[in-house]
Amino acid sequence: MAEQHTPRSLIVSLYGAYGRLPDGAPFPVAELIRLLAVLGVDAPSVRSSVSRLKRRGLLLPRRTAEGAAGYALSEDARMLLDDGDRRIYARTEPALADGWVLAVFSVPEAERHKRHLLRSRLARLGFGTAAPGVWIAPARLFEETRHTLERLELSSYVDLFRGEHLGFAATAEAVSRWWDLPSIAKLHEEFLDVHEPVLRAWSAGRRPTPEEAYRAYLPALDSWRRLPYADPVLPLELLPENWPGARSAEVFLALHELLHARGGEFVRA
């Protein structure tokens, strides 16, 4: 199945890869249109997606030094991207001894819409469901979880705990109940089907031009950055044999090393 890259998601990936300039300088609108056009996104779609991101408070209208219209990242957007970096570019192996973070929440019936928001947000952060109202994730996700709940003004409904699993089911058996591991494995396999051949091609052949590197890298980043959220990246001993997650991470990080900086030359052209 062909990958689907929405204009809004590609814009977020573009800012994440190349838009966090130290001085907070904006991307000119004309540049956003140029950079998305080479990926098949037309100008009206870019403008519409930028407007939605502005309404969400992630992009701020700013003038460039030359006076052109542009958009810069808000502080919330920068925090989201910085938190995401710790997952997207992670190179450390998770260990069972690191423990877990538990999120226990209670929402009054009169605010039940926030209950749905909490559940969906915890799921998007990679939490599994240990019991009704009790969600679990590797302990390293605590800071990002805290940032997210505070940003969404949901922290007053949640208690967060850190600890270790003491039983009674074997931990490997427990995680198979807390997360849908077959679905997560399928996401990794789909990523590998599309992007492993790209890595092989550029590893064995000529050096890509800046535009070729950009065309290959940004869709790979756009696909990959969702995976460390769907997959909490559990210790290997808790996962089924031949788990594809480690291989897909290796492929993405190799593509990053090979193509990111070269693609940046096209962005800055």
Side-chain angles (χ1 to χ4, degrees), residues 37-142:
V38 300
L39 300 175
V41 181
D42 60 29
S45 296
V46 173
R47 294 183 186 278
S48 173
S49 297
V50 165
S51 292
R52 287 196 294 271
L53 291 167
K54 183 178 73 170
R55 287 196 297 271
R56 290 178 57 193
L58 299 178
L59 294 182
L60 303 174
R62 294 287 185 269
R63 291 282 173 179
T64 68
E66 295 77 23
Y71 286 90
L73 291 165
S74 69
E75 285 305 311
D76 277 351
R78 284 180 175 272
M79 180 178 287
L80 283 170
L81 293 173
D82 290 346
D83 281 340
D85 283 353
R86 286 187 278 275
R87 297 195 192 213
I88 293 167
Y89 304 107
R91 295 177 181 271
T92 57
E93 290 294 328
L96 192 56
D98 294 340
W100 305 91
V101 57
L102 290 176
V104 180
F105 65 83
S106 177
V107 180
E109 184 61 25
E111 299 179 275
R112 57 182 178 274
H113 64 285
K114 292 187 177 180
R115 190 180 307 143
H116 172 73
L117 179 59
L118 259 171
R119 288 171 177 157
S120 62
R121 186 58 57 168
L122 289 171
R124 287 172 61 184
L125 285 166
F127 277 71
T129 309
V134 181
W135 293 64
I136 187 167
R140 69 178 183 280
L141 303 185
F142 164 70

Side-chain angles (χ1 to χ4, degrees), residues 26 38 46 59 76 96 137 151 179 190 194 217 220-221 236 261 267:
V38 300
V46 173
L59 294 182
D76 277 351
L96 192 56
R151 180 174 58 82
W179 285 277
E190 289 172 349
V194 174
Y217 178 70
L221 172 62
L236 195 58
V267 173

